[in-house]
Amino acid sequence: MSFAPILPGATIGFLGGGQLGRMTALAARSMGYDIHVLDPDPHCATRAIASRTITAAFTDVDAAIDLAKQCDVITLEIEQIHPDVLDAATQHALVRPGRDAVFIIQDRIRQKEWLRTQHFPLGAFAVAHSREDIANAVQLFGASIAKSTHGGYDGRGQVRLADPTFAADAWTTLGALACVVEQRVDIDYEISVLVARRSSGDMAVYPPSRNHHTSGILTWAVTPAAIDVTMTKRAQLLATQIADRIGIVGLLAVECFVTRDGQLLVNELAPRPHNTYHHSERGSATSQFEQLVRAICDLPLGSTDIVSPCAIVNVLGDVWLQEAPPAIVDALAVRTSRLHLYGKAAARAGRKMGHLSATGSDAQEALARVLHSYRLLSPGTVAHFDVHEPTLPTFT
Ligand code: ATP
Ligand code: MG
């Protein structure tokens, strides 16, 4: 393993060309790196930023070798990359994060069992290999969520079960050979913590982000998280311990639940930039995208200080599927609000097309502004997307 920095002028290859790749590529470009990308979609969001786009599946070993041969370092923006592809790329370029961490994280069963073996705090869960296993788990846990092992995101590949009579339906819906059944956690609030780690083991941890989901999809995120300093430290310690133990090089996002009785539980891990840290572009001294570039290129990690409270709200394809077009002019008239679109042509329900952001004097004001901006942008989606304004707790 090389510890020499990869300096501007070098080429970074991306496995995956969605919005996370695109925003990282924009940061890398502004630092003077060249960008190549591999994605199954020839019109992927990163294409516009890359000097070379390879259209191939994430199982295509030859295409990965082709990418790696022209790159100095390879990173990824999606964890569903076949291990053979990561191995093949590793023969020709540095791959960061490396195969071992990605291999654990990309399979929900493997990830949960690894976290349990390492004694990190988790909610109750069971691995199910049949409809009977699901029924038994729900019998034991009560209200549960069955989650597929691979490829689930934004609440897809998940079935909520109130009691065991729905087990057969859940098994059929997931259509898998195995799944995880989790007990429904009594959530007080959700946070995530982002950690950057270099190959030397040097780490930088961000202040937690407070997050709100509607039907399994992230609605908004805000930093600072409006939580007390003890919980902040607990969550940051947990996230850095996980990042160190799994040996990530790049970014690790740790999604957490805080329960009504004060437990801090790990929900899941992501070895890449994370939707809940899009506010770092404006709210942090170093955006998560620049931080990923620094980590994989072995440059000093940037400061994770909050420079301004900042909030984001996701803008989904639903916004373009209403009778009225999105009211962009109205949304941008809100003080400090900004619109970031990912350049995706086809709007589909639930598809992440972009986000709005806003800063403020505190988390409450930043969140109020961005939610107000969203409600102006798309009044038609407000009924089924939870964009009402919560009152965040304050700590003195
Ligand atoms: P993404 O990739 O978008 O983060 P995902 O599809 O992998 O999401 P999860 O993170 O597992 O899905 O779940 C999405 C959301 O559903 C969580 O953030 C939480 O709001 C809710 N949720 C998931 N698991 C549980 C649980 N065991 N108890 C209560 N709520 C849950
Ligand atoms: Mg999640």
Side-chain angles (χ1 to χ4, degrees), residues 213 255 267-268:
H213 294 75
E255 298 178 15
N267 172 28
E268 60 171 352

Side-chain angles (χ1 to χ4, degrees), residues 92-156:
H92 301 277
L94 290 167
V95 176
R96 292 172 167 170
R99 178 215 202 264
D100 293 351
V102 177
F103 185 69
I104 293 169
I105 293 171
Q106 68 183 196
D107 177 298
R108 209 183 277 276
I109 296 176
R110 221 178 279 139
Q111 183 190 133
K112 289 251 180 217
E113 289 186 334
W114 181 84
L115 287 164
R116 178 156 66 184
T117 313
Q118 303 292 321
H119 307 294
F120 291 116
L122 293 171
F125 75 95
V127 175
H129 296 280
S130 65
R131 62 197 70 200
E132 290 75 28
D133 286 352
I134 297 184
N136 290 338
V138 181
Q139 185 72 43
L140 187 67
F141 297 152
S144 304
I145 306 185
K147 300 183 179 179
S148 61
T149 51
H150 279 86
Y153 65 100
D154 295 344
R156 281 169 242 202

Side-chain angles (χ1 to χ4, degrees), residues 47-81:
R47 185 186 189 103
I49 322 297
S51 59
R52 182 174 187 228
T53 302
I54 299 173
T55 303
F58 297 136
T59 48
D60 189 333
V61 168
D62 293 335
I65 292 171
D66 185 19
L67 176 79
K69 277 185 171 168
Q70 293 187 29
C71 293
D72 298 282
V73 59
I74 301 282
T75 192
L76 50 88
E77 60 117 52
I78 178 168
E79 45 274 38
Q80 299 308 329
I81 308 289

Side-chain angles (χ1 to χ4, degrees), residues 238-268:
L238 175 65
T240 48
Q241 284 174 337
I242 296 173
D244 209 35
R245 200 79 60 79
I246 209 163
I248 201 91
V249 179
L251 297 178
L252 183 78
V254 180
E255 298 178 15
C256 299
F257 300 141
V258 178
T259 65
R260 286 190 201 280
D261 58 1
Q263 292 180 73
L264 175 67
L265 304 175
V266 177
N267 172 28
E268 60 171 352

Side-chain angles (χ1 to χ4, degrees), residues 185-200:
V185 173
D186 189 15
I187 298 173
D188 185 5
Y189 56 89
E190 291 188 59
I191 54 174
S192 51
V193 182
L194 186 72
V195 182
R197 187 175 177 278
R198 292 168 72 184
S199 60
S200 61

Side-chain angles (χ1 to χ4, degrees), residues 303-321:
S303 161
T304 58
D305 288 352
I306 293 176
V307 292
S308 170
C310 187
I312 63 111
V313 57
N314 272 332
V315 177
L316 305 180
D318 310 58
V319 166
W320 280 265
L321 303 177

